[in-house]
Structure formats: structure tokens, C-alpha cells
Amino acid sequence: MTTARRRAVPAVALTALTALVLSACGSGEDDTTSAGDDAATEESAAPVSDPVNEPLVATFDGGLFVLDGETLDLAAEIELDGFNRLNPAGDDRHVMVSTSAGFRVLDATTGEFSGTEFPGDTPGHVVRHADRTVLFFDGTGEVIVFDPTELVDGDPEPSRTWTAEHAHHGVAVELSNGELLTTLGDPESRVGAMVLDADGEEIARNEECPGVHGEAAAQDETLVVGCQDGLLIYQDGAFTKIDSPDDYGRIGNQAGSDISSVVLGDYKSDPDAELERPERVALVDTATGELNLVDLGTSYTFRSLGRGPAGEALVLGTDGALHVIDPEAGEVTDSIAVIDSWEEPLDWQQPRPALFVRGGTAYVSEPATDELHAVDLASGEVTASVTLPSAPNELTGVVAGH
């Protein structure tokens, strides 16, 4: 592992705000959900940037920031009451915003809400895969699948809807062949996953995944979901369970890559901890079923995981460094110092540094200093930094194609 290093550049000056939008609230977490306030009114805004600039969106206490993806210039500030959650919508201009009334679509290139909404109780996970975007509503178990390229023309027509037998904090993903993987559970417990074919008939089921949470796609369209004691792998019409080396070895959040058979996951082994601050991550090879644990020597959180353009595993540590892991070798190959050291807050909704990776750039937020940084993964250089008016919390951006 190379020596950690900090590479700083002067902060980019803020541009004038170009939009002000008044609206709603957000919900969710890595294992729990909650709701905020109801929507208010909206005002029109000037365009923020051309779609090719790939805007970023960050939440703060009371709203959203929209930023240029290259310069990090602040292009718009949107007032939004409550705790807000964000996900890429799957096209070249939109971001999904969770609210107490459902999902709302933000046009990040104009800095205003598009008017498209997916109403529902307790919006949860948003998954992009095989040119489809899948929404899961925890309050009802409802699943909505649509083509994200239709967002530019207004309300997309769902290509599929489905409702789970019991409402639960869940997730669903549709494969390129039309199969739909969705979690199994109820408000008290979550037990596994099932798969429906394109006609809605059940073709596979596994109920040996307690506390099922999260999902990721690996090479050859292999899907995984996390368990309190390992992972479930779905491939070629069948589930395979990979057990953790500990009786309780929770892999609740995962990051996959289309060019790697290895999935990166967090790893917690203390079921009695009020807040476990793990220092090991899991690498699971979906082709061989091998599970390896890598000791980082620093803790991290559920917002710390990402994958690079070559399939490298990325983890933002509380030591302030972005740790680069060779997923096949299971070794840390580099540690790039980006921000100051930090500690995970007890309240999961409180701001903590977040990692968002797009192409060859890793974006890292630093709530303690109200900053956001862009890191070139090829050189390890910090290429841009900006100081925001408030501490950023969640972080995402426009991501087309998946």
C-alpha cells in the first residue's frame, strides 16, 4: 500500500444561485426509513448546465445543492424541508428525490423539479439496471419499473408494476431478460428474496437471508443481496448462499461493477453494538463463491463504498483517505488522502462524508468544512474543491446508462 497523501487545490469560487425551489422532504436509511414534511410550491429556474456537464446534487439541512460536475461551481440551491434522499434516475439529466408523498423527479440541468412524481408510501430504494429504473415503496411493497429515457418527455409509462405480499424495507431489480428479483419480508423481519419471470410467475426463492438488505450487480449480470450472515447470489435462474465467516457477519450494503465478478460489501460482526464502526470490508467473488475480508485499519460508513472504472473497489475511511483495493487480489493498493479525519455520528441522518463515483472521478464531501472535492482516480489528484453555504449530507449525480 502506498503512503497516504493529501493533494489540495484552491477552492472554486461559487457562482451566483440560478434557482430557488420550495418543496418537500425525504426518507430512508441503510436499514431504516422515516419521513419528513409535505410539499410546498415551486418556482421556475434558468438552465443550470448542458446535460453533457453531468451535474451533481447534494443534500443539506433544508434543501439541495446542484453543482457543475466538472468545476463544482454551485449552480442552484433548492429549499426542501425535511431529511432528503437522492438517487440517479438513470438518464442524462434527472435525479430521484424521496419525499413523504413519494418520489419526485429533479431536472438537475435546470435546477427545478420536472413535475413528474411517483406517489406512494415511504419511498425506499431506487435501482438502475439493464436500461430500467426500479422504485420500491417500503410502506406498501409496491414496485414500479420504467424506462428512464422517457423522463425527458414527462411522465414515463411504467413497463411493470408489482406489489409484495407484505410491506417491508425492501429492494427490487429487473434483469435484461425481464426477470424481477425482489426481497421477501414484512414490517417485523426480512428473510430473503424471490425472482419472477417476465410473465410474473415465481421461478426462484431463497428464505435463508435474514435481514436482507441492499443489492448490486456484478459481471455477467449476476445479482447479489446482503444478509446478516453473508450474501445471496442470483445467477442463471438459481440462488446461491455465501456464508460469512462469523455467525453474525452482516453485509448490508454492496457495490458492484459490470467488469468484475467481485462485489464489495461493508462488514459488521457485532450484533450488540449500538453503532459498530467496522474496519473490515468484504470482497465476494460471485464466480467462485469465495468471500475475503480486507482490514483497512480505519472505519467507514454505508456512504463510503464505490467502484472505479477498472472495477477497483473504493472505500472512504474515517482517516480521511480514499482506499483503493484490488478486488481480485484482495489488497489495498493505494490510499489517497482527501479530507481530514472524521468520526461517524450516532444519528444516521446527521451529515457524514459521502463518496460518489462517476467514470474516472470520485466525489467526496466534507461536512465538517462544508466542502466537496473531486478526485481523479487515475492520478490521485484532487482536481477541484468548493466550499458550500451549508454542510453537504447525501451526494449523487446524473448517471446515464446502467
Side-chain angles (χ1 to χ4, degrees):
M1 182 178 75
T2 60
T3 304
R5 55 205 185 272
R6 185 180 180 95
R7 305 178 175 93
V9 297
V12 180
L14 297 179
T15 58
L17 299 182
T18 61
L20 178 62
V21 182
L22 302 179
S23 185
C25 65
S27 64
E29 184 244 2
D30 76 322
D31 201 13
T32 310
T33 56
S34 62
D37 302 323
D38 289 329
T41 59
E42 298 176 14
E43 296 178 4
S44 61
V48 170
S49 61
D50 188 90
V52 298
N53 288 342
E54 297 185 316
L56 302 173
V57 182
T59 67
F60 65 92
D61 186 9
L64 310 173
F65 294 127
V66 181
L67 305 100
D68 185 282
E70 181 177 359
T71 66
L72 302 187
D73 285 351
L74 178 60
E77 182 174 341
I78 302 169
E79 291 189 4
L80 198 62
D81 292 335
F83 177 76
N84 307 305
R85 306 221 70 186
L86 304 171
N87 285 281
D91 68 349
D92 62 2
R93 63 188 301 160
H94 296 100
V95 167
M96 304 297 296
V97 182
S98 302
T99 78
S100 60
F103 294 99
R104 300 181 67 188
V105 179
L106 174 71
D107 189 335
T109 67
T110 64
E112 63 180 343
F113 285 98
S114 70
T116 297
E117 300 183 9
F118 297 88
D121 183 6
T122 318
H125 283 277
V126 178
V127 177
R128 301 169 296 106
H129 183 76
D131 298 322
R132 290 291 183 269
T133 299
V134 183
L135 311 178
F136 194 100
F137 292 89
D138 293 347
T140 59
E142 182 184 9
V143 173
I144 297 177
V145 183
F146 65 92
D147 180 350
T149 63
E150 296 179 0
L151 287 171
V152 70
D153 297 321
D155 297 343
E157 183 69 25
S159 58
R160 182 177 199 161
T161 60
W162 182 82
T163 302
E165 182 178 1
H166 302 290
H168 63 283
H169 179 50
V171 66
V173 54
E174 187 173 87
L175 282 77
S176 58
N177 63 4
E179 293 178 355
L180 181 74
L181 182 149
T182 182
T183 50
L184 295 167
D186 58 39
E188 283 70 48
S189 66
R190 304 189 301 275
V191 298
M194 62 181 291
V195 177
L196 308 175
D197 66 15
D199 297 321
E201 297 296 323
E202 182 177 330
I203 58 174
R205 173 183 290 249
N206 186 296
E207 297 186 12
E208 298 177 357
C209 183
V212 60
H213 187 271
E215 65 76 37
Q219 194 174 40
D220 298 326
E221 206 174 19
T222 301
L223 300 182
V224 304
V225 292
C227 318
Q228 290 180 354
D229 57 1
L231 276 178
L232 278 186
I233 299 175
Y234 179 75
Q235 186 178 42
D236 298 328
F239 283 106
T240 302
K241 175 68 180 294
I242 306 300
D243 293 324
S244 295
D246 300 285
D247 290 340
Y248 179 88
R250 183 178 186 270
I251 306 176
N253 301 277
Q254 311 86 36
S257 169
D258 290 342
I259 60 173
S260 173
S261 63
V262 179
V263 171
L264 168 68
D266 57 1
Y267 191 80
K268 294 185 175 183
S269 57
D270 184 356
D272 301 319
E274 178 185 9
L275 174 63
E276 184 175 358
R277 294 184 169 95
E279 296 191 355
R280 295 180 296 175
V281 294
L283 294 174
V284 181
D285 192 325
T286 60
T288 66
E290 184 178 4
L291 189 158
N292 291 319
L293 298 179
V294 178
D295 193 339
L296 297 176
T298 183
S299 62
Y300 58 93
T301 78
F302 67 94
R303 292 191 186 139
S304 293
L305 307 180
R307 301 300 292 266
E312 63 269 43
L314 304 171
V315 184
L316 178 63
T318 57
D319 60 353
L322 183 61
H323 300 275
V324 183
I325 305 171
D326 181 327
E328 279 72 35
E331 297 178 352
V332 177
T333 59
D334 200 1
S335 292
I336 305 168
V338 183
I339 61 178
D340 290 333
S341 60
W342 52 283
E343 183 177 77
E344 180 181 4
L346 289 175
D347 181 355
W348 72 269
Q349 292 189 354
Q350 289 301 306
R352 82 280 309 282
L355 171 67
F356 171 67
V357 183
R358 184 170 58 194
T361 303
Y363 298 94
V364 176
S365 63
E366 190 170 11
T369 60
D370 299 341
E371 290 182 287
L372 179 66
H373 311 279
V375 181
D376 179 75
L377 291 172
S379 67
E381 296 291 335
V382 176
T383 58
S385 295
V386 66
T387 300
L388 299 168
S390 301
N393 196 346
E394 293 219 341
L395 177 64
T396 194
V398 170
V399 180
H402 45 287

